[in-house]
Each structure stands twice: as C-alpha cells, then as structure tokens.
Amino acid sequence: MDALQALRDATEPKPVVAIIGGAVAGSEAAAACAARGAIPIVFEQGVRPYGKIEDGLPRWHEKLRDKEYGKINGNLSRDSVVFVPRTEIGSDLTWSHLYEGLGLSAIVLANGAWRDRPLPVEGADAYDGKGLVYQNEFVYWFNHYEDEGYDGPVFEIPDDVIVVGGGLASIDVVKIINLELYGRALRERGIDVDLVEMELKGIPRTLDKLGVSAEDLNVKSATLYYRRRKEDMPLASADNPSPEKLAKLQAARVKIMDRVISKYFVKFEPLCRPVGLLTEGDRLTGIRFQRTEVVDGRVRGIEGTEFEARAPMTISSIGSIPKPIEGIPTKGELYHYDSWDTGEVHGLPGVFGLGNVLTGKGNIRDSRENAIEIIEKVVAAYLGVGDEPSEVPGQSSEEARVVAEKAASGAPMPPEAMRALAEHIESRYRAVGYAGYENW
C-alpha cells in the first residue's frame, strides 16, 4: 500500500511528518522519516523538486546535477513518500493551517535559503534592476536562458562588473561573468566556444588552444570585492579549530582562491567593504568602498581610506537567507531556533529546521570524518580547480537523519485527521494537475 492510500484508509494512529521543500535536504529527510515508520508529506513550492541543485548550481555541473537529481528522484518516487508539488507554504497553504489545522506529528523546514541578503548600503535596493543585480536571479538566468520558451529575467553582461561577496556563490558569479565575456569576445571573432567546456578547461587553456591571446580580446573581467582576506574566505570551515587546524584551513582557502584567479581570470580586491553608492540619474554606476582590517576576527573600517569603483553593473553576492513565512518566528535574518544542533524552532514544538534554511549558509563544513585535505578537495572540485566534484558543498544526509528521528517520534496522527489530510492532498493534486511522481 502506498503512503497516500495509507492515509485514505487509516484506522490506526501513525506518525505523519510534513516536510517543506523537496530538494536535497527535504528528500533525505523524507526517506529517513519513512525508514522510521512515519508517513512523510513533502510540500514543494516549485514544479520540480530540485531547488538550488537546478537553479543555483551553475549549469557546467552537469554530471553532479544529474547525480543529485537521481538521489532526489530516488527518495521522492518511493511509495512510502507523498509528494505535493506547486504548493508554497504561506500562500497556497497557510502556516496556521499546516501547523494547527492538520494535526501533523511534526514539521521539517527544508525550504532552503532563497532570499538574497540585501547589499548593506542604505538606499541600495532602489537600484535593483537599475545597475544592481542579486545573485539568485543572475544564476537562475545563466542556467535557463537557453531553455526553450524561457521567460525569466534577462541580463546583458557588460565588461568590468563589480561583484560584492566572498563565498562559494560569489565565485560562481564571477566565473559566470568571465566565461560569458570571453565567450562573447570569441564569437565576435567568429569563434564559437562552449561555455561548459571552457569552464572545464579554464579560460587561459581555451585561448591557448585557439591561438588567441587574452590581450587581443581586451576583456577587463569581473572584480570580486571582499571585506576580509583570502585566508578568511568561508570556503571551508570548522567549529572552534585549533591554531594548527586554522592555519591549515587558511592555507587551503588561499590555494583554492589562487587557482580560481588564474584559471578564470578573476580579479580579487580584499579588505574593502561597500559604504556608499555612485549613481547617475536613476541608475547605480558604482560603489564607494572603504578599506578594512581584521582585528581579533572582526572586520573594522579604516578611517580616511574610502575609494570609488565605477562599473555598469554591480552584483551583490553576499549570501542567501530563508524567505519569511508568517507564523514562523525569526531572529535577525534567520528563523529563531532553540537548538542549532536539532534545528528545533523557538515556540513551535515539533517544528525543525534542516539544511540551508537553518543557517543560510551553503559552505562545506569540516566534521569528524572529513579532514582538512578532504574539505579542500571537495571545495576545489566544486569550483572547477580540482578533480570532478562528487558532492555538493553544504549537504549532509546525517543531519537529515538526526532531524528525521526527532520528527518521526512525534505524537501519532489520529486516523480521522489522516483521512482528512488525504482529501486535502487529493484536492491539491486536482488543482495542480498532478498524477504521480513518475508521470509528473
């Protein structure tokens, strides 16, 4: 009997767990809940469940994306899992009804971090779309603009773009810009080049093979402005590292970033933070930066060191945070958690956060089973300066298992509530035209 049929025909109480988001974290949690005897109901806001694997992972990661798609499909296509697409919590289904009205045993928030953190300069958002671009829609455009019938945002990338950031996503952004710029410059010379192949080989090697010099193309490239140093970049991290471990982490970060700079012609400007806007009419034309120093781990601005950087486009890539949902408490930019280990949400018993929705971070973390050398290898591979990547930074099936164990131990759902939930799900299926995972 499949899970939906079990809800329809329920005569005995059973744990039923709602999981918000069907990508890596959500699908892992669904499989783990099912393995513990609970019925997982996965509510996915999109048509497809792949989340940032599809829309945030740059398209040159073809093999890695297919591998992750396979994992997600394998988890969500099981008879023991109920998948409900095109259902956004807060609009298609209110939080109050989900949490209070359905009688669920527990809820797992695995909806990821989809909201761009604002550029930290007063008045900046007035120029969104007028010289200022945010990373999530930019990467989405790059991944999909060649799709048939694409009708999303459209960007014409100028040369000499400013990128404000410092993490994995910001490196993805500068790589996209430079690959597009060099690809365009080559096409103007009548040379067609595949951007995915150029990402794999690197820009210098591609030009050498074509017999074209970088100087001939006269591309200025993008510049990544970062408020800290290379060795501080959040490419690999560990909790409370020893001085020896910290030194190894810092050396790994520098090595990785140096490879990125040389392989993709990235320009890097460390120790500066945005403090003002340069504008002409209704457009952003650059950023005023201030030099910084790192003192006892904190960034401090240096008086009298401001400088201007002009550019036709500025891309803010300083991270993503969860979208607010009315009814879920927040603390600062994130949801409010009582425990960062279990993801227990403050004031909402039986609700747990998982994956990027918990911290808003997508950086790979060190753990007991991952030595610094392994962390370096995984991050370097992801950024195109190492071997073929085998995993996506920041994903952990162990975290999903821990949360699933807590969620699946919630109070069993009464049979009448289970049957009512089945009716609600079937009504939603009719509304969105869903007729089973494989067909969908």
Side-chain angles (χ1 to χ4, degrees):
M1 181 186 298
D2 67 24
L4 184 56
Q5 189 65 44
L7 290 175
R8 287 193 203 101
D9 300 340
T11 58
E12 298 291 335
K14 189 169 186 177
V16 179
V17 179
I19 298 169
I20 314 308
V24 175
S27 65
E28 290 280 354
C33 283
R36 285 158 178 76
I39 298 177
I41 316 296
V42 179
F43 292 99
E44 166 58 44
Q45 68 176 354
V47 175
R48 291 152 60 94
Y50 308 128
K52 285 203 168 180
I53 297 300
E54 178 173 22
D55 295 333
L57 193 67
R59 59 182 160 96
W60 54 74
H61 288 300
E62 295 169 314
K63 292 181 180 178
L64 182 56
R65 178 179 288 108
D66 287 345
K67 179 180 177 181
E68 295 299 324
Y69 283 1
K71 289 181 183 177
I72 293 168
N73 290 340
N75 287 329
L76 298 183
S77 62
R78 302 181 187 200
D79 288 343
S80 55
V81 174
V82 180
F83 178 67
V84 187
R86 292 182 60 187
T87 303
E88 185 173 1
I89 305 306
S91 55
D92 300 308
L93 176 60
T94 66
W95 174 257
S96 61
H97 185 51
L98 180 72
Y99 183 62
E100 299 170 354
L102 296 180
L104 294 159
S105 305
I107 300 173
V108 175
L109 303 174
N111 42 308
W114 284 97
R115 184 184 180 195
D116 286 288
R117 182 174 279 116
L119 184 70
V121 181
E122 185 176 356
D125 277 353
Y127 299 93
D128 189 0
K130 301 174 182 178
L132 175 63
V133 174
Y134 281 100
Q135 73 177 37
N136 280 321
E137 63 175 356
F138 182 76
V139 177
Y140 179 87
W141 162 79
F142 176 73
N143 281 355
H144 295 287
Y145 73 75
E146 292 182 342
D147 295 351
E148 184 177 352
Y150 175 74
D151 63 354
V154 176
F155 299 102
E156 292 292 332
I157 300 177
D159 203 353
D160 207 16
V161 174
I162 287 172
V163 179
V164 180
L168 292 175
S170 65
I171 296 175
D172 284 339
V173 167
V174 290
K175 283 177 60 177
I176 289 170
I177 294 168
N178 286 358
L179 290 168
E180 287 281 346
L181 289 175
Y182 278 92
R184 185 173 67 203
L186 288 168
R187 285 193 300 274
E188 289 172 354
R189 286 174 163 249
I191 304 171
D192 197 18
V193 63
D194 182 83
L195 297 189
V196 172
E197 184 178 349
M198 183 157 58
E199 190 278 335
L200 177 64
K201 293 180 178 178
I203 297 173
R205 185 178 163 195
T206 299
L207 298 184
D208 286 345
K209 185 176 180 180
L210 294 171
V212 178
S213 72
E215 291 75 16
D216 289 341
L217 296 180
N218 195 31
V219 175
K220 296 177 182 178
S221 298
T223 303
L224 176 60
Y225 291 81
Y226 182 46
R227 63 196 181 102
R228 295 177 180 266
R229 307 165 300 172
K230 284 181 191 175
E231 52 262 52
D232 303 317
M233 296 182 78
L235 307 180
S237 60
D239 292 323
N240 302 314
S242 65
E244 294 77 15
K245 197 169 191 177
L246 179 59
K248 286 185 177 181
L249 277 169
Q250 290 178 333
R253 293 164 181 163
V254 171
K255 187 191 300 184
I256 291 168
M257 194 59 203
D258 283 344
R259 290 177 188 169
V260 169
I261 288 170
S262 62
K263 187 172 181 179
Y264 301 106
F265 288 156
V266 171
K267 293 188 291 187
F268 182 69
E269 191 71 41
L271 292 170
C272 55
R273 64 182 182 185
V275 293
L277 308 175
L278 305 178
T279 62
E280 292 180 10
D282 65 348
R283 292 195 62 81
L284 181 69
T285 57
I287 299 292
R288 189 166 69 254
F289 289 95
Q290 181 186 52
R291 295 291 178 188
T292 62
E293 58 184 351
V294 180
V295 180
D296 295 329
R298 294 181 177 273
V299 175
R300 185 169 66 188
I302 302 173
E303 292 292 331
T305 61
E306 293 187 3
F307 67 96
E308 294 182 350
R310 295 192 175 272
M313 177 185 285
T314 295
I315 300 181
S316 179
S317 183
I318 57 175
S320 300
I321 53 180
K323 289 182 179 179
I325 297 175
E326 186 176 354
I328 299 179
T330 57
K331 189 174 184 180
E333 297 175 322
L334 305 176
Y335 296 155
H336 187 179
Y337 297 99
D338 285 332
S339 169
W340 291 94
D341 294 325
T342 64
E344 294 172 83
V345 178
H346 179 73
L348 296 176
V351 180
F352 307 88
L354 175 66
N356 288 346
V357 74
L358 187 64
T359 63
K361 296 179 179 179
N363 304 310
I364 189 155
R365 298 191 60 79
D366 185 25
S367 65
R368 284 188 293 269
E369 64 272 16
N370 283 340
I372 299 299
E373 293 78 11
I374 303 300
I375 298 296
E376 178 186 346
K377 184 176 180 180
V378 172
V379 174
Y382 173 81
L383 292 175
V385 293
D387 297 330
E388 183 76 26
S390 60
E391 60 184 275
V392 180
Q395 310 300 344
S396 170
S397 56
E398 179 58 32
E399 292 174 356
R401 286 192 288 270
V402 170
V403 169
E405 188 169 343
K406 289 272 187 183
S409 64
M413 195 173 186
E416 60 273 19
M418 294 170 68
R419 294 192 294 269
L421 176 58
E423 291 181 10
H424 182 90
I425 291 169
E426 290 173 324
S427 174
R428 189 65 193 161
Y429 282 173
R430 290 190 293 272
V432 302
Y434 181 77
Y437 193 86
E438 297 297 338
N439 294 328
W440 185 254

